[in-house]
Amino acid sequence: MKGEDRELRRRAAEAGPGNLSRADRICSVLLFAGAVALYLPSLRYEFTIDDPLVTVLNRNMPTSTGDFLAPFRTSLYSGTEMGPTNAYLFRPLLMTSLSINYRLAGNTYDPFSFHLANIVLFGLSVVVVFLLARAMLREGRSGLAAVLTATLFMVFPSHLESVCNVKNREEILAFLFGGVSWLLILGKPGEGTSRTTARLVAAPLLFLMALLSKESALLLLPCMLIWEYVKGDRSRARRTLPAWALSMAVATAMYLGMRHRAVGSWLSPHDANTFFGPGEGALVRVLSSARIFVKYYLWDQVFALKLDPNFSTRFILPLENPPTFIGVACLVALAGALVFSVWEFVRVGSPWAFWVIFFLVNSFFVFHFLPLGTAGAFRLMFTPSLALCVLLALGIVSLGRATAERIERVRGRPGLVAAGLLVPVALCYGLTTLNRMGIWKDDGTIYSYSAAVGRGNPMSYYAAGQHYGQKGQAEKKLDYYGRALRIFIDRERDPEVFDERSRDAFSVVATEIAYARVDRNPREALDLANVALGQFSRLQALRKGRIDPNVAGPYYVKALAYRNLGDVRGSIETCRAALAITPHAGIEQLLRSLTGGG
């Protein structure tokens, strides 16, 4: 067995990224073309969700300031309404990329050109996946496994959000730069000293660029160095690993220094997490994270293929407080998989074990525990999905080999069997990707879909209502607001599920619906206005006494309701109470009409 393992390692080394055959080059071109063709429908899509905030509405973009160093001195949303609450996001290469895109598009924010750039970058990422898998997999049919991995990666439905959403280009860039950096570390056996030195310079530079695209790329570093140590010639690794570790450490230090200087923190603060509150203990956090991961990563996205772009709220899944059997079972399963995989990887260097570790480290831990800016992002994209695709490809290759050994008609042709097994899986994922792609054509479609698949999430209904309100579709807006309001009211006695953002949404929908009903049903409008004022009171406490100027809205509705009910005195008192807090032209006019101008 040891001799066979050494032979497999030798073959993997000889198939390094510097030894591309004609077949490899043809596969790379076909995979790139397939990825581009698959996502061509997205060229017609609008800017969605956060796209306007990083393009048209961002006053600190080099396209507005002419200063191409501005992204390296400011946070991602600096210069927008989301700047103060997202000051920890440092993504300078994303902003630089969008600025270059703007110049190439003729100094216009044309969604077509931005989506085209995303598609091309994604196609290049698929090629990098092929080259990585080809260089790393130690199976006898590593070329076939590499093609299968890249094909699965190309059609993986969770990548829709990164390719179709311009802002999420950060995921593609981080993966692309990090992947090429890894290819350089893998290197080419027997190359000269000058090429090794060039790789020692180029790989850390590309890794730095990956970090400047998105900080979660930091977890690629231990994965790259661990693989370099165990993948083949240990004596060679002992000679080269210190140099790689030092060069990568320098790149990481440069990133942390730039980040700290720009946004004032080495890594993202723990209170930036969008799911857990600051007062919740470690046990609640760990058990809840395990349950969330199993349900919303593995089941929904890998098996059920239910992709919710707006899943980021606590309304969807109750916290494990007190602990439940489901939460404990999920944590035990994840911990068991990790411990067993580490043991197998240390014992025999199993590629299966490595990719299980790679998946869990780059998804479960980074999304929920490590301060790398991705906490609360409930989706599998690029780095974690690479591991899933590798594992699925290895499984297909193994199943193909086993089938070919047992069936006379295909004996000796395991590659053909594996390719046949790939077809239904790739078709399932590919057709799902094409079918769900239309979700991303505009905000209305995104939020309507999110509301449909996450029916217990009032924030999806709220977001859909906001979109239709901006489009002037008042009836649709009130319909979605009404659905959000019913969930908000139903969960009002469960304060754990509310944060500042959801309480703000609660106050808005209550005020809007109250205003729509103030003439037909003033009593109901009065009750809803009081509900909205209660939420503003809680918001004021959360914001340490800061008064929201929008509080005038429910006061105005309340005054109108009193007037329509014939209670002029109550209406006047409400107007005066509101004006004592904040100015409002409508309230002033109503007060003058009630008092005869006095």
Side-chain angles (χ1 to χ4, degrees):
M1 289 296 294
K2 289 185 178 180
E4 290 181 11
D5 189 55
R6 280 196 299 270
E7 176 63 18
L8 290 174
R9 290 169 187 263
R10 184 188 65 77
R11 290 182 186 176
E14 289 176 353
N19 297 323
L20 287 180
S21 66
R22 183 170 179 269
D24 293 329
R25 290 193 289 271
I26 291 174
C27 283
S28 297
V29 171
L30 291 176
L31 288 166
F32 175 82
V36 170
L38 179 65
Y39 278 92
L40 283 178
S42 68
L43 292 174
R44 306 189 305 269
Y45 295 171
E46 299 177 4
F47 287 139
T48 53
I49 308 183
D50 290 348
D51 287 353
L53 291 171
V54 295
T55 53
V56 184
L57 302 179
N58 195 326
R59 296 188 299 275
N60 281 349
M61 285 289 286
T63 52
S64 301
T65 63
D67 180 5
F68 274 85
L69 292 179
F72 295 86
R73 296 193 296 263
T74 59
S75 63
L76 174 62
Y77 292 116
S78 177
T80 72
E81 61 185 25
M82 288 181 63
T85 55
N86 291 274
Y88 59 91
L89 295 178
F90 186 56
R91 314 278 166 78
L93 277 196
L94 168 64
M95 298 175 72
T96 303
S97 164
L98 296 174
S99 299
I100 295 171
N101 207 155
Y102 173 85
R103 299 297 187 198
L104 294 176
N107 294 338
T108 62
Y109 284 115
D110 175 20
F112 176 91
S113 63
F114 285 81
H115 286 301
L116 178 61
N118 271 32
I119 293 171
V120 171
L121 290 170
F122 174 65
L124 294 174
S125 296
V126 173
V127 175
V128 168
V129 168
F130 168 68
L131 297 178
L132 271 174
R134 175 185 167 279
M136 295 175 68
L137 298 181
R138 295 202 300 257
E139 296 292 315
R141 294 183 173 271
S142 60
L144 174 63
V147 172
L148 299 185
T149 300
T151 302
L152 292 167
F153 189 88
M154 176 176 66
V155 298
F156 195 65
S158 284
H159 294 161
L160 279 165
E161 185 166 350
S162 290
V163 185
C164 297
N165 181 251
V166 171
K167 181 262 177 186
N168 282 327
R169 183 183 299 177
E170 62 196 14
E171 301 277 355
I172 308 176
L173 291 172
F175 180 84
L176 190 56
F177 289 129
V180 176
S181 177
W182 200 341
L183 281 171
L184 289 175
I185 287 180
L186 292 173
K188 179 180 177 180
E191 64 186 7
T193 304
S194 60
R195 287 196 174 186
T196 302
T197 304
R199 288 194 295 116
L200 278 169
V201 174
L205 178 60
L206 286 164
F207 180 64
L208 174 61
M209 294 173 73
L211 291 174
L212 293 172
S213 300
K214 191 168 186 180
E215 57 270 35
S216 56
L218 188 62
L219 283 187
L220 282 174
L221 178 56
C223 296
M224 290 189 286
L225 297 181
I226 288 171
W227 183 269
E228 170 67 10
Y229 180 73
V230 303
K231 71 180 179 66
D233 185 349
R234 292 289 178 89
S235 61
R236 173 177 173 267
R238 290 192 187 99
R239 293 194 306 272
T240 59
L241 199 60
W244 283 121
L246 178 61
S247 62
M248 290 297 189
V250 170
T252 304
M254 290 176 63
Y255 164 74
L256 293 175
M258 294 167 67
R259 177 188 170 85
H260 191 274
R261 186 175 181 84
V263 299
S265 65
W266 300 109
L267 291 173
S268 302
H270 280 287
D271 58 9
N273 191 292
T274 60
F275 196 89
F276 296 100
E280 289 158 352
L283 181 63
V284 172
R285 186 186 184 105
V286 170
L287 291 175
S288 300
S289 292
R291 185 176 176 184
I292 290 166
F293 182 81
V294 171
K295 171 66 172 69
Y296 290 97
Y297 285 104
L298 295 183
W299 178 254
D300 277 6
Q301 297 190 48
V302 178
F303 298 105
L305 303 180
K306 185 173 72 174
L307 313 173
D308 184 355
N310 202 42
F311 177 69
S312 60
T313 177
R314 298 155 61 103
F315 286 91
I316 291 291
L317 189 69
L319 295 181
E320 289 286 317
N321 189 18
T324 68
F325 172 78
I326 295 176
V328 173
C330 290
L331 182 62
V332 169
L334 291 172
L338 180 63
V339 171
F340 179 76
S341 298
V342 170
W343 180 71
E344 275 290 293
F345 187 58
V346 171
R347 189 173 68 90
V348 296
S350 166
W352 291 83
F354 174 82
W355 289 109
V356 171
I357 297 167
F358 183 93
F359 171 68
L360 290 174
V361 167
N362 282 280
S363 53
F364 180 53
F365 291 101
V366 66
F367 287 163
H368 296 283
F369 301 106
L370 301 181
L372 294 179
T374 52
F378 293 87
R379 50 199 182 257
L380 294 173
M381 290 191 291
F382 282 83
T383 307
S385 61
L386 167 63
L388 285 177
C389 293
V390 170
L391 290 169
L392 189 53
L394 290 176
I396 290 173
V397 169
S398 298
L399 185 58
R401 185 184 299 116
T403 303
E405 290 173 357
R406 287 171 172 78
I407 300 177
E408 181 70 29
R409 292 179 62 185
V410 292
R411 187 163 294 166
R413 291 183 287 181
L416 181 63
V417 178
L421 293 171
L422 171 70
V423 171
V425 179
L427 274 177
C428 176
Y429 274 5
L431 291 174
T432 301
T433 297
L434 282 171
N435 181 51
R436 303 287 170 81
M437 196 176 298
I439 294 168
W440 286 92
K441 67 180 181 181
D442 56 48
D443 281 342
T445 312
I446 289 174
Y447 294 128
S448 298
Y449 172 79
S450 187
V453 297
R455 296 185 179 181
N457 183 0
M459 298 304 291
S460 292
Y461 292 115
Y462 169 66
Q466 273 193 317
H467 170 77
Y468 288 117
Q470 292 165 0
K471 295 288 186 180
Q473 300 180 43
E475 189 173 336
K476 268 193 169 183
K477 179 187 81 170
L478 291 175
D479 176 45
Y480 279 104
Y481 274 6
R483 297 187 217 181
L485 181 64
R486 285 192 289 273
I487 302 172
F488 279 135
I489 291 175
D490 185 55
R491 302 294 296 274
E492 189 173 11
R493 295 187 180 181
D494 188 5
E496 282 189 344
V497 304
F498 284 93
D499 57 13
E500 183 175 338
R501 179 169 168 260
S502 55
R503 289 210 178 274
D504 186 57
F506 192 175
S507 66
V508 170
V509 298
T511 302
E512 291 280 345
I513 293 173
Y515 184 72
R517 298 177 182 176
V518 73
D519 292 326
R520 288 187 293 109
N521 193 336
R523 175 58 62 186
E524 183 182 3
L526 180 62
D527 292 341
L528 288 174
N530 284 327
V531 167
L533 288 171
Q535 300 313 309
F536 274 113
S537 176
R538 293 179 177 89
L539 280 171
Q540 188 174 349
L542 286 172
R543 294 166 177 170
K544 300 179 180 178
R546 180 169 59 86
I547 296 174
D548 191 323
N550 292 323
V551 72
Y555 272 114
Y556 181 53
V557 174
K558 185 176 180 179
L560 289 174
Y562 274 131
R563 184 200 64 183
N564 293 349
L565 288 168
D567 187 352
V568 176
R569 182 178 178 182
S571 185
I572 291 173
E573 289 177 354
T574 301
C575 288
R576 287 175 175 165
L579 293 174
I581 297 173
T582 183
H584 187 275
I587 294 177
E588 291 174 356
Q589 184 178 356
L590 177 60
L591 181 60
R592 283 196 297 270
S593 69
L594 293 169
T595 59

